[in-house]
């Protein structure tokens, strides 16, 4: 399979490192992969024989720009070269996300799918805004749109819903979907500190961003929950349909009272389907110690699906970071190679 | 897809009921399924246009024998009719299991795969004894051997390992894989009763069998663990390679001491891979309250995989019973229809 990578940030670099380390695995599984294009907004690298991963990573880690790379770097390379190249099987879309317009990723994905190129992405914006439209284009062109990385990285959230629950109707989704807020809550439990102190610790450790609103106000959780809901329940829900509350109002006293009863606060995204009415919400919930998500602590994530005929399924895992995110992209790649139908 | 079902016990009946209830689902997903053969050791039913599920279930629930069913019942039907019928796509093998020889299920599966018929089974004996041989025949004939139901019914154990961990090497497997022993341990925790009393309760409720050795001595756990190990780590381990201990020596005092420290005993099947040496064992382990399998209580099951690049994945679910087992068979059926490659 010939691959084009769009975007050259942390996840892209981790993905290229991962592929490079998987040489034995790929040989053993008889899977042949090469990357022919890596593009960012300035241009990129093209090698029809497959880019030398380690050589490129060495070059750019020494502050070389992609366009100056001596083996195929150029400022003239654009996305259109990929579309016009009949040898590309898979586009990996990892450009910076835009949650208002979804662009430019939306156009990249749409054009690739229309050109019968599979798309794998970790780009939440266009998937939240336009999953159904993109998926229909994939179906029409008999290619796959794989988005596992948008809803929890290494946690097999989409996989779990699509394939582990195959043949059953999912009737509810409940998840601890954001590692940053989960870390802050654990920090408050462990050290009895205030929310502001825990947030500062998370920021110092690089877990929370300088502007933490996306995480702590529940928007990241809501985005992941909505993508899961729309993909797995074939819905068309938006942020406007969702009650979203964050964690910034929680006090040490709340935590203390919960601990006295052996309970824990978690930021839970929850979708329920009752009498065919689907409702989505995000907010703090107090979990009993017997709840399957009770032990999902720190940067880990967890999900519980309930279904008509396969009962409950709880999935726990998926630590944060670029390496697990890259492994999630690689998982989608292997599964597409093995004949999975994500788009149907 | 045209299906032949071998065996007409509890799981087969639950499977036929399930398919009958899934008419809307199958229409919505544009999947066309019919059952053409249902055979047991006395003969069976054949209908080239598809057996009428409800009609047949009504007939046999009123104590009618398959061979007397007025629409295609016959004592002359044998497995060879299925092999000679060029219209059968999938064999569902649910005859009584034999853990010493694997027969007759092994021969059924082998012949079907050689005739380019996909096989789905919940039959542990032949899969424990001969998975690799059967899987190689499936690969050679470009058909699938799906065995999800042999390792925990509705719990997506094989799915989780094959597809949710795709692209990563599994480095350990740890599971609560037997509902009966897990129920007995919970009963002892809840009521402070002895092991013998808890076993009697389980027997009265139909959870444990009159001869409970298979469950309580750890053999069922070992069988599931070995199948998972052989499939997911491409090993050839047998019961002889495995230290197997059961739960019958546990006392109320053990339980009490554990509870004082907020710990729980679980019967754990564990496979580890260190320096390329794979070890398998089954026995009681004392789990801390932070362990992801700590809350897997009662008849539920749970598994934790660790991997090279996708981190840990814990799967919890899969209550016991014929209906979840049938839903697991149905899941494999849908995934084969959707292009999954179980055999590769």
């Amino acid at each position: 399979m010939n691959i084009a990578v769009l975007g050259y940030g942390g996840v892209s670099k981790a993905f290229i490192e991962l592929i490079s380390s998987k040489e034995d695995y790929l040989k053993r599984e008889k899977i042949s992969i090469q990357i022919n294009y890596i593009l960012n907004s300035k241009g990129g690298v093209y090698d029809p024989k497959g880019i030398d991963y380690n050589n490129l990573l060495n070059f750019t880690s020494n502050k070389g720009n992609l366009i100056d790379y001596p083996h195929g770097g150029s400022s003239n390379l654009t996305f259109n070269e990929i579309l016009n190249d009949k040898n590309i099987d898979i586009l990996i879309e990892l450009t910076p996300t835009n949650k208002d317009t979804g662009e430019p990723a939306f156009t990249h994905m749409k054009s690739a799918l229309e050109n019968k190129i599979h798309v794998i992405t970790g780009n939440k914006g266009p998937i939240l805004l336009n999953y159904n439209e993109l998926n229909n284009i994939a179906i029409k062109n008999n290619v796959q749109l794989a988005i596992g990385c948008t809803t929890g990285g290494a946690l097999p959230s989409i996989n779990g819903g699509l394939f582990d629950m195959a043949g059953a109707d999912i009737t509810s989704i409940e998840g601890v979907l954001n590692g940053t807020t989960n870390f802050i809550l654990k920090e408050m439990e462990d050290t009895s500190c205030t929310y502001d102190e825990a947030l500062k610790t998370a920021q110092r450790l690089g877990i929370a961003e300088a502007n933490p609103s996306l995480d702590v106000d529940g928007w990241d959780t809501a985005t992941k929950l909505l993508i899961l809901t729309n993909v797995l329940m074939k819905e068309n829900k938006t942020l406007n349909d969702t009650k979203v509350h964050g964690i910034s109002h929680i006090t040490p006293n709340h935590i203390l009272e919960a601990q006295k009863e052996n309970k824990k606060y978690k930021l839970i995204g929850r979708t329920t389907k009752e009498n065919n009415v689907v409702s989505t919400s995000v907010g703090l919930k107090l979990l009993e110690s017997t709840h399957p998500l009770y032990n999902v602590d720190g940067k880990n994530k967890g999900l519980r699906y309930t279904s008509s005929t396969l009962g409950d399924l709880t999935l726990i895992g998926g630590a944060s970071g670029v390496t697990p995110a890259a492994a999630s992209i690689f998982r989608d790649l292997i599964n597409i190679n093995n004949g999975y139908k994500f788009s149907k």
Side-chain angles (χ1 to χ4, degrees), chain A residues 84-125:
Chain A
N84 293 329
D85 186 329
K86 294 297 158 210
N87 295 316
I88 295 301
D89 305 297
I90 297 193
L91 176 74
I92 297 182
E93 217 307 334
L94 294 169
T95 61
T97 200
N98 180 317
K99 296 204 170 161
D100 298 319
T101 67
E103 294 293 2
F106 173 72
T107 300
H108 293 154
M109 295 193 215
K110 186 167 181 275
S111 316
L113 294 169
E114 286 170 344
N115 280 272
K116 300 193 186 304
I117 297 170
H118 302 297
V119 171
I120 304 175
T121 190
N123 206 320
K124 292 188 186 74

Side-chain angles (χ1 to χ4, degrees), chain A residues 17 93 110-111 178 200 205 242 265 332:
Chain A
E17 262 172 50
E93 217 307 334
K110 186 167 181 275
S111 316
N178 179 271
K200 273 190 194 117
L205 295 171
T242 310
Y265 280 100
D332 284 351

Side-chain angles (χ1 to χ4, degrees), chain A residues 228-239:
Chain A
L228 288 170
T229 303
N230 292 341
V231 173
L232 302 177
M233 294 182 168
K234 297 185 192 292
E235 291 288 324
N236 247 317
K237 296 282 173 193
T238 70
L239 286 171

Side-chain angles (χ1 to χ4, degrees), chain A residues 302-321:
Chain A
L303 257 175
R304 179 163 68 161
Y305 296 123
T306 62
S307 79
S308 53
T309 45
L310 280 164
D312 289 9
L313 171 64
T314 301
L315 299 151
I316 300 170
S320 310

Side-chain angles (χ1 to χ4, degrees), chain A residues 318-337:
Chain A
S320 310
V322 293
T323 305
S328 157
I329 300 277
F330 188 65
R331 169 171 61 203
D332 284 351
L333 181 72
I334 298 298
N335 282 328
I336 287 178
N337 179 75

Side-chain angles (χ1 to χ4, degrees), chain A residues 188-189 192 251-265 286-289 294:
Chain A
M188 291 179 73
E189 285 164 8
S192 307
T251 66
N253 201 40
H254 288 129
I255 300 272
L256 192 68
E257 291 299 314
Q259 284 178 322
K260 277 186 197 159
E261 296 182 328
N262 208 16
K263 294 178 182 171
K264 283 184 195 171
Y265 280 100
L286 199 53
L287 303 190
E288 306 266 347
S289 65
Y294 180 83

